[in-house]
Amino acid sequence: MLTFEHVSKIYKGQKRAVDDLNFQIEKGEFIVLIGPSGCGKTTTMKMINRLIEPTEGTIFLNGENIMHMDPVKLRRQIGYVIQQIGLFPHMTIEQNISLVPRLLKWSSDKQRERAKELLSLVDMTPDYLNRYPNELSGGQQQRIGVLRALAADQPLILMDEPFGALDPITRDSLQTEFKKLQRKLKKTIVFVTHDMDEAIKLADRIVIMKDGRVVQFDTPDEILRNPANEFVEEFIGKERLSQVRPHIQTVDQIMNPAPVTVTPNVSLTEAIKIMKQRRVDSLLVVDQNNMLVGYIDFEIIDQKRSKASKIEEVIEKELFKVETGTLVRDTIQTILKRGLKYVPVVDAENRLVGIVTRTNLVDVVYDSIWGDGDSEIKAQ
Ligand code: ADP
Ligand code: MG
């Protein structure tokens, strides 16, 4: 979709800000550019929509040299989000979301439909459309900011440290949400950050830059496993758990893929029998399509036994879960912070695919301290 061939940028009277970039980005990829301040990330990004023009080399968008395209038309195909452009306080949420579609002269019906559709993607109802930013929580306002980037439905979106100014918790949840949206909408994203955690969480592939050059361009997994040089190692960070044991990164690699489950129509007596047989004190409840709906444990059953006979009457629906691909490091933090015994793992459609228990995690941590580094962790 996007190809850089020998692209360099020399600002007047200076050394090369960007030096001989060569890479290719596929459609639907989430690419993160990362590197120390001044390494050329913003310059690289701005050359894509011609806010800056390369001194040497060629950039192709869908096979076409962007220098042969009309810059206005080029920019219409490309969404662009820079660090925290806040919402406009005197505009409604709809007007804020529809900023670019309005500039592109979409009909007002089409604008409204799109705004509604986008709100529903982040589980917000259409009645937010007529509200003003100050009526929304900080987190909701940030969500609207992200939706604005998606509003005109451009296939390629450039984002320059869009979450840079957020507090860690809002940032974390927005990252998760944005990644989900990107997958769903199949957008190609070029995203600049200086935060390695953010890069690992979001990227399909990461471009690590230093002094205007690409030091490594690879999947997060590969970068953690085989950092190209000391600079990359340093940049990844020494205290990262996944670096201690680089081949363990996501919950998929350590989860137990066969958690003990029941369906809601099972009786409490039967449930207790299963728990005893399988030696567990809690059961995950799934529907006939293996969608995770909740859990039950001895304590809940014990409390409600006199008034109920089936699981569906006592099921606890509030439970913390993670999606496949979640980093082990993040999961450990959550488990410790919330005092959880285990965390179910679901796919993007909420189908149960496994469970990570404290024991799984303890194994990982101990193995990374005492293990010989070669033995694979069993999925039990
Ligand atoms: P990053 O986004 O990685 O921090 P930039 O792309 O902004 O890096 O900058 C790369 C290099 O180019 C830096 O040395 C910076 O000082 C220089 N630079 C950026 N913009 C300009 C400009 N308009 N004129 C001159 N030098 C610039
Ligand atoms: Mg920058």
Side-chain angles (χ1 to χ4, degrees):
M1 163 143 201
L2 194 63
T3 307
F4 276 63
E5 269 184 23
H6 300 295
V7 174
S8 298
K9 174 69 191 177
I10 305 164
Y11 292 106
K12 262 204 194 85
Q14 299 198 21
K15 64 178 174 46
R16 285 165 186 262
V18 165
D19 187 8
D20 195 24
L21 294 185
N22 292 285
F23 55 78
Q24 200 161 342
I25 294 170
E26 309 301 332
K27 189 173 179 322
E29 266 194 309
F30 199 126
I31 298 293
V32 174
L33 302 178
I34 192 168
S37 178
C39 71
K41 305 180 293 290
T42 298
T43 302
T44 303
M45 168 147 329
K46 283 185 174 171
M47 288 192 293
I48 298 170
N49 61 7
R50 285 182 56 180
L51 288 175
I52 294 176
E53 301 200 339
T55 318
E56 292 163 11
T58 317
I59 300 172
F60 297 93
L61 180 65
N62 298 317
E64 195 177 345
N65 182 343
I66 61 166
M67 295 311 288
H68 298 162
M69 295 163 82
D70 171 11
V72 175
K73 278 196 189 133
L74 171 72
R75 277 174 214 146
R76 278 187 187 171
Q77 301 179 40
I78 303 176
Y80 184 51
V81 186
I82 49 174
Q83 196 162 22
Q84 307 157 284
I85 11 168
L87 302 179
F88 294 99
H90 54 278
M91 288 188 190
T92 63
I93 296 308
E94 179 180 356
Q95 287 165 337
N96 267 289
I97 295 179
S98 304
L99 210 59
V100 178
R102 217 159 58 235
L103 292 171
L104 296 178
K105 299 199 164 70
W106 287 19
S107 74
S108 49
D109 280 354
K110 190 171 166 196
Q111 284 177 32
R112 174 159 277 246
E113 273 318 298
R114 179 66 181 163
K116 264 194 214 164
E117 181 186 25
L118 287 167
L119 277 179
S120 74
L121 287 176
V122 293
D123 292 325
M124 289 171 74
T125 50
D127 48 281
Y128 281 101
L129 287 177
N130 298 321
R131 301 210 195 158
Y132 286 86
N134 66 9
E135 300 172 60
L136 272 58
S137 72
Q140 286 173 326
Q141 291 183 28
Q142 291 296 338
R143 273 186 189 100
I144 302 299
V146 169
L147 295 185
R148 188 165 57 181
L150 300 167
D153 208 17
Q154 292 127 325
L156 172 63
I157 300 171
L158 312 178
M159 306 177 86
D160 199 345
E161 309 215 21
F163 305 146
L166 301 180
D167 68 89
I169 294 171
T170 312
R171 186 173 174 145
D172 195 68
S173 68
L174 211 58
Q175 285 166 344
T176 308
E177 209 157 302
F178 185 63
K179 178 76 189 168
K180 236 187 224 173
L181 280 180
Q182 181 262 340
R183 281 209 190 117
K184 197 185 233 159
L185 303 174
K186 300 188 171 63
K187 299 289 178 201
T188 310
I189 310 273
V190 180
F191 186 108
V192 167
T193 183
H194 57 261
D195 173 357
M196 197 63 184
D197 287 323
E198 183 162 79
I200 291 174
K201 182 162 178 184
L202 294 175
D204 294 317
R205 290 193 295 161
I206 300 175
V207 184
I208 302 183
M209 295 181 67
K210 180 176 188 264
D211 302 331
R213 288 181 158 257
V214 175
V215 184
Q216 189 164 9
F217 184 9
D218 229 321
T219 60
D221 212 53
E222 229 1 77
I223 285 174
L224 290 170
R225 237 183 270 198
N226 297 311
N229 58 24
E230 257 174 48
F231 169 78
V232 175
E233 257 168 47
E234 194 74 21
F235 208 78
I236 292 170
K238 293 219 171 0
E239 76 291 2
R240 196 179 294 275
L241 174 79
S242 36
Q243 199 200 4
V244 177
R245 195 179 167 78
H247 59 283
I248 295 168
Q249 283 141 23
T250 67
V251 289
D252 313 49
Q253 293 162 281
I254 62 158
M255 70 186 181
N256 176 343
V260 185
T261 61
V262 285
T263 47
N265 57 351
V266 166
S267 73
L268 295 186
T269 325
E270 181 64 18
I272 291 173
K273 214 168 100 190
I274 296 172
M275 287 191 213
K276 281 186 175 152
Q277 261 169 12
R278 303 287 302 266
R279 299 174 183 276
V280 292
D281 56 10
S282 171
L283 294 171
L284 294 175
V285 184
V286 294
D287 68 11
Q288 66 277 15
N289 299 318
N290 203 32
M291 299 281 186
L292 181 61
V293 283
Y295 75 98
I296 52 149
D297 59 23
F298 267 133
E299 218 173 309
I300 297 173
I301 295 182
D302 218 38
Q303 280 167 11
K304 306 200 172 157
R305 215 161 166 181
S306 53
K307 285 171 253 141
S309 67
K310 285 194 167 189
I311 284 180
E312 60 205 1
E313 301 162 61
V314 303
I315 175 172
E316 182 55 61
K317 290 190 173 155
E318 289 280 315
L319 89 171
F320 185 82
K321 58 194 173 183
V322 295
E323 241 180 66
T324 56
T326 304
L327 293 183
V328 170
R329 178 172 43 91
D330 293 346
T331 310
I332 289 180
Q333 272 172 9
T334 310
I335 284 189
L336 293 177
K337 212 162 52 193
R338 303 192 181 215
L340 306 171
K341 287 192 202 139
Y342 62 84
V343 175
V345 182
V346 294
D347 68 12
E349 274 81 51
N350 194 40
R351 274 187 298 263
L352 183 66
V353 293
I355 186 168
V356 173
T357 64
R358 282 189 170 230
T359 317
N360 294 142
L361 292 173
V362 167
D363 285 348
V364 177
V365 175
Y366 280 108
D367 204 64
S368 67
I369 298 171
W370 289 314
D372 60 14
D374 287 319
S375 59
E376 284 297 321
I377 299 270
K378 288 189 291 289
Q380 286 294 327

